């Protein structure tokens, strides 16, 4: 239960999102969503100390050094996955159409089969949403399935990469957090460039003003030999 463990670490420690993501095997954006309570429901934290996966000493080492990578003392018991469709809790099943609509809009390269595996729904439902013939189409709002808790960022990234490779195209990063961070960085760089340009112009203007002032001050002391 990596999400539950991440929720506990976010609430009870000062570890960085990157440290928590690496320890829990999650994408850093998933940890960010947990911290910001962007998930559909608030997760119940799972204490890794009680399960023997971590010790308080290990957590304190991580809190003291942001670059320290937590070491798991004991592997958690792996859940046995049986064949069949992905199980989705009853409380989140109503979110499936929203997740499907988001994938169709943001990742058109994904096939119906890939979307079905990610969300845990049928091809018939996906096709109905594509064609806007779904019985509840008026109320379907595209929402990120990772934030809804229907799939993980790693699974989504893997499916997108596989679909892009099959289509013979380059992988396009459509993650909203990535795009937002990239745009913010570009905007910051533009602002720094514009500020530097303004400072350079101001410096040149000041130099020109000093030169004009110096000439103006020297002017009255000069004697015109042709003045009567």
């Amino acid at each position: 239960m990596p999400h539950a463990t991440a929720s506990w670490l976010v609430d009870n420690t000062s570890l960085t999102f990157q440290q928590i993501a690496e320890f829990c095997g999650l994408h850093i954006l998933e940890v960010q969503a947990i911290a910001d309570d962007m998930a559909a429901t608030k997760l119940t934290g799972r204490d890794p100390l009680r399960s023997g996966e971590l010790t308080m000493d290990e957590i304190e080492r991580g809190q003291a050094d942001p670059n320290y990578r937590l070491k798991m003392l004991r592997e958690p018991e792996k859940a046995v996955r049986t064949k069949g469709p992905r199980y989705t809790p009853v409380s989140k099943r109503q979110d499936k159409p929203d997740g499907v609509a988001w994938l169709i809009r943001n990742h058109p390269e994904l096939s119906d089969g890939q979307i079905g595996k990610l969300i845990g729904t049928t091809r018939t439902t996906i096709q109905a949403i594509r064609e806007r013939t779904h019985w509840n189409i008026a109320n379907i709002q595209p929402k990120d399935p990772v934030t809804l808790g229907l799939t993980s960022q790693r699974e989504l990234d893997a499916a997108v990469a596989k679909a892009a490779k099959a289509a013979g195209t380059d992988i396009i990063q459509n993650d909203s957090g990535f795009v937002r961070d990239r745009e913010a960085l570009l905007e910051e760089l533009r602002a720094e460039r514009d500020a530097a340009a303004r400072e350079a112009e101001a410096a040149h203007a000041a130099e020109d003003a000093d030169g004009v002032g110096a000439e103006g001050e020297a002017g009255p002391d000069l004697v015109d030999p042709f003045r009567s």
Side-chain angles (χ1 to χ4, degrees):
M1 301 178 67
H3 291 84
T5 302
S7 178
W8 188 93
L9 292 173
V10 166
D11 292 338
N12 296 278
T13 72
S14 59
L15 296 169
T16 66
F17 292 160
Q18 186 63 41
Q19 287 174 311
I20 296 174
E22 290 178 353
F23 177 77
C24 297
L26 301 174
H27 194 282
I28 190 171
L29 294 178
E30 294 180 86
V31 179
Q32 178 72 55
I34 292 172
D36 294 341
D37 290 335
M38 292 171 57
T41 58
K42 178 63 179 177
L43 294 172
T44 301
R46 175 177 175 273
D47 187 351
L49 300 176
R50 180 174 298 178
S51 63
E53 298 167 16
L54 273 178
T55 63
M56 198 61 211
D57 290 341
E58 188 71 6
I59 291 177
E60 289 176 352
R61 290 192 192 98
Q63 293 177 147
D65 181 7
N67 296 319
Y68 181 77
R69 300 187 65 176
L70 299 174
K71 297 180 178 61
M72 185 175 294
L73 301 181
R74 190 181 73 179
E75 292 286 339
E77 296 181 0
K78 296 183 180 180
V80 179
R81 174 81 185 276
T82 58
K83 292 184 178 180
R86 176 193 296 270
Y87 173 76
T88 305
V90 176
S91 61
K92 294 184 179 181
R93 290 178 189 176
Q94 60 186 3
D95 297 328
K96 285 185 177 183
D98 294 342
V100 171
W102 189 93
L103 290 175
I104 291 174
R105 186 185 68 181
N106 292 279
H107 294 289
E109 68 274 18
L110 293 176
S111 66
D112 288 358
Q114 289 175 310
I115 294 175
K117 289 181 179 179
L118 287 171
I119 303 296
T121 190
T122 64
R123 293 174 183 265
T124 303
T125 299
I126 298 170
Q127 192 63 31
I129 296 173
R130 280 189 187 276
E131 298 174 354
R132 302 191 64 80
T133 58
H134 191 276
W135 66 272
N136 195 33
I137 193 66
N139 297 318
I140 294 177
Q141 298 292 331
K143 295 179 183 177
D144 189 344
V146 174
T147 332
L148 293 173
L150 297 173
T151 188
S152 70
Q153 189 68 47
R154 288 179 182 273
E155 291 176 319
L156 176 57
D157 290 345
V160 171
K162 184 177 181 180
K165 183 177 181 180
T169 59
D170 293 333
I171 300 175
I172 300 176
Q173 176 59 269
N174 286 323
D175 181 81
S176 58
F178 175 87
V179 173
R180 185 172 58 253
D181 293 343
R182 182 180 62 183
E183 291 177 350
L185 178 59
L186 291 175
E187 188 64 27
E188 182 179 350
L189 293 175
R190 292 191 194 101
E192 292 177 356
R193 182 191 62 191
D194 294 341
R198 287 194 297 269
E199 290 177 359
E201 291 177 359
H204 288 311
E207 292 176 358
D208 293 341
D210 291 341
V212 172
E215 292 177 0
E217 292 173 0
D221 295 333
L222 297 177
V223 178
D224 187 352
F226 299 100
R227 180 180 298 173
S228 58

